[in-house]
Amino acid sequence: MPGALDDQLTGQLMDRAKADGIKLTGQGGLLQQLTKKILESALEGEITDRLGHEKHEKAAGGNTRDGSFEPQIVKKRQRRLTGADEMVLSLSARGLTHGEISAHLAEVYGAEVSKTTISTITDKVIDGMHEWQSRPLDSVYPVLFIDCVHVKLRDGQVANRPIYVVLAVTVEGTREILGLWAGDGGEGAKYWLQVLTEIKNRGVSDVCMVVCDGLKGLPDAIGTVWPQAITQTCVVHLLRASFRYAARQDWDKVSKALKPVYTAPTQDVAEEKFLEFGDAWGKKYPAIVRLWENAWAELVPFLQSDTEIRRVVCTTNAIESVNARIRKAVRARGHFPNEQAAIKCVYMAVMNLDPTGQGRKRWSQRWKAALNAFEITFDGRLSAARR
């Protein structure tokens, strides 16, 4: 019986380890040795089978690898991964380089896994990434949060390039990353128009609210794609932009003076509080006053929203938690050799955002009250996504 055989083999291993004075755990222990053998066999064995000769041996007849190797551990277009490859991808998603992953496996498990093998595994997520990037989307989303993070690409010389990120809240109250796009460094609003048009072409016919930074031209781009959508300036972005014009010792004072503006119960009260802010700080920081004046048209919808909608749009700061994870992975790499390497790193970080699923549950629960408010405020437009 298989079970009896497993017990017999286990007993033999334990007896032999005891006789040879080998401890169960720790450096050089039985568990580490077994893990080493299994990892190396799983990650390197399929390459040996494909090449037809052992590692470091020459192929018969002088044949060389033809580039058509099709891994079986991480199959083409496979999106759900299991086994030792999952460990490699998880470490890569946390920002470890191929060399660091190889060193980690050697240190912790005693396994010698080459950087080439690790590169082969991580490269296979690209097929899944392309499929994910072009998947059909829901017809309606209550909210889209749009933003970008910057990565360093070594294209002749190291330069900053934007990676555009779109996070959606679904009608069920869950969050979903709709895609990742590498910008060319040109005018952001024009590129956003391309991104949003692509999202519409993937099935999104309506969006109730789009939360974004104060980029010039962005409200027009959003209105071109979804005429009914409300463009809402992210209050957190607006505050951070304000701090760029203020001395650090005044940040807390400026923040406290602006809070009555964006927490005002009505638009009229907000205008009154903003005038008070201008009287107190306008002479010292006129650029902050101008910043809020220029963003006022996109701040007004927020002031007119239901309390529950205001709470989640203002305080959730949804996309920042995503960007923080992306930046952590990106910083660990320094700079990237090309655009695809950068996108692959960001994609793996995004796929590893909520490995336990607990974040999804908390997020969904937090949005329930807001979704009810969206349903009423936007007159049943969310119902189209449930048909």
Side-chain angles (χ1 to χ4, degrees):
M1 302 242 343
L5 181 62
D6 291 343
D7 291 341
Q8 183 180 358
L9 288 174
T10 303
Q12 289 176 357
L13 285 170
M14 295 292 290
D15 290 342
R16 182 171 177 179
K18 183 182 290 186
D20 293 344
I22 299 175
K23 56 187 178 180
L24 177 61
T25 59
Q27 185 69 28
L30 176 62
L31 182 59
Q32 188 189 65
Q33 290 185 43
L34 286 172
T35 305
K36 167 184 167 68
K37 292 291 184 183
I38 293 169
L39 275 176
E40 290 179 353
S41 177
L43 296 175
E44 300 282 5
E46 60 175 351
I47 295 181
T48 297
D49 291 340
R50 173 64 178 86
L51 295 177
H53 58 82
E54 295 297 325
K55 186 178 180 180
H56 305 308
E57 289 183 357
K58 293 183 178 180
N63 292 331
T64 59
R65 184 174 176 176
D66 59 9
S68 64
F69 169 55
E70 181 74 36
Q72 296 303 305
I73 295 175
V74 188
K75 295 180 180 180
K76 189 176 182 180
R77 290 182 291 277
Q78 182 177 339
R79 295 174 64 187
R80 296 288 182 182
L81 306 169
T82 59
D85 55 285
E86 201 168 49
M87 181 189 305
V88 171
L89 294 176
S90 177
L91 292 171
S92 183
R94 285 166 169 76
L96 272 69
T97 65
H98 295 167
E100 290 169 338
I101 294 172
S102 179
H104 174 79
L105 295 176
E107 178 183 352
V108 177
Y109 302 108
E112 297 179 7
V113 181
S114 70
K115 289 189 288 185
T116 300
T117 298
I118 293 170
S119 180
T120 298
I121 292 171
T122 58
D123 281 347
K124 296 312 295 182
V125 307
I126 294 173
D127 290 321
M129 181 179 71
H130 291 324
E131 183 180 347
W132 171 82
Q133 184 77 20
S134 59
R135 73 196 187 281
L137 301 173
D138 294 349
S139 59
V140 180
Y141 289 103
V143 192
L144 295 187
F145 294 87
I146 66 176
D147 201 4
C148 71
V149 294
H150 287 84
V151 300
K152 295 183 182 298
L153 292 188
R154 189 178 64 246
D155 185 12
Q157 59 182 3
V158 177
N160 283 328
R161 290 275 296 278
I163 302 290
Y164 295 87
V165 185
V166 178
L167 182 149
V169 179
T170 70
V171 294
E172 287 80 25
T174 60
R175 67 178 176 179
E176 179 183 0
I177 305 293
L178 302 189
L180 303 166
W181 294 264
D184 55 11
E187 187 176 344
K190 288 185 178 179
Y191 195 87
W192 270 121
L193 179 59
Q194 298 177 39
V195 169
L196 300 179
T197 300
E198 178 185 320
I199 291 173
K200 182 178 182 179
N201 291 340
R202 287 164 60 193
V204 183
S205 59
D206 189 19
V207 174
C208 297
M209 182 178 288
V210 180
V211 182
C212 57
D213 60 17
L215 181 65
K216 185 179 180 181
L218 193 48
D220 291 336
I222 295 169
T224 299
V225 180
W226 297 295
Q228 294 188 83
I230 291 175
T231 301
Q232 173 62 60
T233 297
C234 175
V235 175
V236 175
H237 276 88
L238 200 53
L239 285 171
R240 289 178 179 171
S242 302
F243 295 153
R244 289 201 296 264
Y245 301 108
R248 180 176 290 273
Q249 63 266 25
D250 288 334
W251 284 6
D252 285 343
K253 296 176 183 177
V254 169
S255 178
K256 289 177 181 178
L258 284 170
K259 187 174 182 179
V261 177
Y262 62 83
T263 58
T266 66
Q267 181 180 340
D268 289 340
V269 174
E271 291 174 351
E272 180 184 330
K273 296 299 181 183
F274 182 62
L275 289 174
E276 292 177 4
F277 174 84
D279 290 340
W281 293 96
K283 188 174 181 179
K284 187 173 185 180
Y285 297 126
I288 298 179
V289 174
R290 185 171 63 250
L291 176 71
W292 281 69
E293 287 175 342
N294 291 338
W296 196 258
E298 283 72 50
L299 186 65
V300 169
F302 170 81
L303 296 171
Q304 297 173 337
S305 298
D306 181 275
T307 303
E308 290 296 336
I309 294 177
R310 293 174 62 163
R311 181 178 63 83
V312 293
V313 170
C314 178
T315 62
T316 301
N317 202 15
I319 205 166
E320 279 303 307
S321 62
V322 175
N323 286 350
R325 183 69 63 87
I326 293 173
R327 290 189 185 100
K328 181 179 179 182
V330 167
R331 278 198 301 267
R333 300 295 179 89
H335 59 265
F336 298 90
N338 51 54
E339 181 180 292
Q340 181 168 276
I343 285 284
K344 183 179 75 171
C345 174
V346 174
Y347 170 74
M348 288 193 292
V350 166
M351 292 298 102
N352 200 51
L353 281 173
D354 186 22
T356 66
Q358 293 302 312
R360 181 185 180 91
K361 292 179 181 178
R362 290 194 300 269
W363 176 277
S364 180
Q365 191 62 35
R366 186 166 59 234
W367 271 87
K368 290 301 182 185
L371 287 174
N372 280 279
F374 269 98
E375 189 73 52
I376 296 171
T377 302
F378 294 94
D379 195 25
R381 281 160 60 185
L382 303 189
S383 300
R386 302 189 181 99
R387 292 170 188 164

